[in-house]
Amino acid sequence: MRVSYRLGLLAACAVFVPVSVAEDGVTDTEILLGQSAALTGAAEGLGTNMKVGMEAFFAQCNDKGGIHGRKVRLISIDDSYEPEKTVDGTLKLIDEDKVFSLIGFVGTPTTKVAIPIVQEKKVPLVGPFTGAMLLRAPVSRYIFNIRSSYDDETEGLVRYLLDDLKLKKIAVFYQDDSFGLAGLTGTQKAMRKRNLEVVCSGKFPRNTLAVKTGLSAVIQGQPEAVIMVGPYKPVAEFVKIAQESQFNPLFVTISFVGTENLIKELGPLSENLVISQVVPPPDDTTFPIVREFCDALKKTHPEVEPNFVALEGFIAAKVHSLAMVEVGKDLTRERFISELEKMNALDIGGLTISFSKDDHQGLDRVFLTRVTNGKAKAIQTRQVNRK
């Protein structure tokens, strides 16, 4: 780790040095970033909280001088978790708003359609809220994933279900698109490593609550546990109807669900739900990054309770900013990308970020939680690490 990283982000932010920079989104006083995310609709809690977390970090940074004297400004566009709107929003952010980079996109089907745009326009996209492998392999020079993948999450869940709980019959209920298929295939890979198969699966259309057909398909297999791959509203609907039907396996889901939103939707029905996470619990202040996040959130959004998604947004903003600081005053996209690829074992507060030219996934940890008394609490189990 280089000395400048160890000195920390904010120590490098305070000096204002006027400079003429031709790069889009960079002026003598400002750096402009863009986000496309669901700010309305069935996944609005996810997009809104990613935005809140990023805003909390950038406000903290700006209060201490910005990035080499430049204030960071985030433009967030609502795509309602619809890929067509993501295309329009991404093009607007790049061509009209002239952002320096993109950050914190939300969802697999939505981020998927942005891939060819960022590659053609050569605009970096950092910290999308998706664990799909299509964003990780093959590695794109312009896409930097911070969170662990859905393969990592489903491996952690399957290992817990089979090795710790000794369950064997696992089903998958998934959203019928690239996101849901990523969760399904990740589960299948993990099961096949153990010479087992998913006993059955059911699916539902994106941005709907039409879960009954998928539920019927899952019930037929009589699984001991169901891994659910979807945002909080349809997953909550699935659990409600399942329990009304006296179908009570162990319900399990992955981080994209939006943990706190799901608990709110389900109320007491969320008890004992198992959820994989890619960041620590937002009340685990043994992590310095969590303490930093909670302090910043209290100042910028006191009405928002600390939550997993906002913490992920905060982390994405911090990693993005660390790379900009390291570039120096002459900020360009290519230099920014090069600095990200040089990050190696960078401690950002109890979490270690590593990128390289051949690996654009920064974190590899998976945290397993179980809902207890309305809160997602850490499960004491073996740590899942990819690297």
Side-chain angles (χ1 to χ4, degrees):
M1 190 186 307
R2 287 172 290 172
V3 172
S4 52
Y5 277 135
R6 292 199 299 267
L7 290 174
L9 169 64
L10 298 177
C13 291
V15 179
F16 172 69
V17 183
V19 64
S20 176
V21 179
E23 193 74 270
D24 280 352
V26 181
T27 69
D28 285 345
T29 59
E30 184 176 72
I31 302 168
L32 190 60
L33 309 182
Q35 177 196 27
S36 177
L39 304 179
T40 59
E44 67 179 294
L46 307 179
T48 299
N49 280 307
M50 276 293 285
K51 176 175 178 285
V52 162
M54 291 190 294
E55 288 174 342
F57 182 85
F58 291 136
Q60 170 183 273
C61 182
N62 289 342
D63 285 347
K64 299 191 179 183
I67 306 292
H68 294 293
R70 300 182 177 107
K71 300 297 178 70
V72 181
R73 181 160 65 93
L74 177 68
I75 298 176
S76 296
I77 290 179
D78 179 20
D79 61 28
S80 303
Y81 198 37
E82 291 290 354
E84 296 81 3
K85 292 183 179 180
T86 307
V87 170
D88 293 341
T90 303
L91 290 171
K92 180 182 183 300
L93 288 166
I94 295 172
D95 294 337
E96 297 180 28
D97 298 314
K98 304 291 186 182
V99 298
F100 169 71
S101 68
L102 303 167
I103 186 170
F105 278 36
V106 172
T108 301
T110 43
T111 309
K112 177 182 178 181
V113 298
I115 296 174
I117 299 173
V118 301
Q119 290 177 334
E120 178 186 348
K121 303 283 187 178
K122 299 183 178 180
V123 176
L125 169 59
V126 177
F129 186 71
T130 165
M133 291 306 298
L134 61 87
L135 290 162
R136 291 161 170 78
V139 171
S140 167
R141 175 165 174 77
Y142 300 100
I143 299 173
F144 288 83
N145 302 283
I146 295 174
R147 60 167 21 237
S148 297
S149 71
Y150 293 144
D151 280 9
D152 296 329
E153 289 193 65
T154 50
E155 165 64 25
L157 287 171
V158 167
R159 189 171 74 181
Y160 175 65
L161 294 174
L162 271 61
D163 296 354
D164 290 33
L165 300 187
K166 309 302 181 185
L167 305 180
K168 299 295 183 186
K169 298 179 67 177
I170 313 299
V172 180
F173 174 71
Y174 65 98
Q175 185 167 282
D176 189 14
D177 63 6
S178 53
F179 163 48
L181 287 171
L184 174 64
T185 57
T187 304
Q188 289 171 329
K189 287 178 191 176
M191 295 290 287
R192 287 168 184 164
K193 279 175 60 176
R194 296 159 174 84
N195 297 314
L196 294 169
E197 294 287 342
V198 171
V199 294
C200 59
S201 64
K203 57 189 178 181
F204 67 96
R206 184 181 62 250
N207 271 344
T208 75
L209 301 180
V211 302
K212 290 184 177 179
T213 300
L215 173 60
S216 296
V218 169
I219 288 175
Q220 289 178 13
Q222 289 299 298
E224 297 168 292
V226 181
I227 296 177
M228 305 172 293
V229 187
Y232 56 94
K233 284 186 180 293
V235 167
E237 186 74 2
F238 178 85
V239 173
K240 289 174 185 176
I241 297 176
Q243 295 201 0
E244 289 170 2
S245 304
Q246 304 303 308
F247 177 57
N248 293 298
L250 178 63
F251 293 109
V252 181
T253 187
I254 60 177
S255 61
F256 185 85
V257 76
T259 297
E260 290 82 3
N261 291 106
L262 179 62
I263 292 171
K264 183 177 179 181
E265 289 282 332
L266 281 174
L269 295 181
S270 66
E271 201 71 3
N272 293 318
L273 205 75
V274 173
I275 309 171
S276 58
Q277 313 287 354
V278 295
V279 297
D283 59 357
D284 187 351
T285 53
T286 62
F287 286 85
I289 187 69
V290 172
R291 297 198 299 272
E292 182 187 354
F293 160 68
C294 290
D295 290 344
L297 188 67
K298 190 180 298 183
K299 293 176 183 176
T300 59
H301 298 84
E303 77 286 357
V304 177
E305 288 290 323
N307 61 79
F308 286 95
V309 179
L311 175 56
E312 185 168 340
F314 187 86
I315 290 169
K318 182 167 186 173
V319 172
H320 191 293
S321 298
L322 283 165
M324 291 193 293
V325 166
E326 199 64 19
V327 170
K329 63 184 180 181
D330 297 322
L331 180 61
T332 68
R333 289 167 176 161
E334 289 301 313
R335 289 173 182 155
F336 172 71
I337 289 168
S338 294
E339 289 302 332
L340 280 169
E341 289 183 336
K342 292 174 187 175
M343 285 186 178
N344 181 32
L346 174 63
D347 185 346
I348 60 167
L351 298 175
T352 302
I353 295 281
S354 291
F355 291 117
S356 69
K357 289 185 178 180
D358 300 321
D359 186 351
H360 280 198
Q361 180 178 305
L363 292 174
D364 67 351
R365 293 186 66 174
V366 174
F367 304 82
L368 298 187
T369 62
R370 183 186 294 272
V371 179
T372 305
N373 297 323
K375 293 284 186 181
K377 299 296 184 182
I379 295 173
Q380 298 303 315
T381 186
R382 289 175 297 165
Q383 179 60 55
V384 181
N385 287 295
R386 175 177 60 96
K387 297 175 184 174

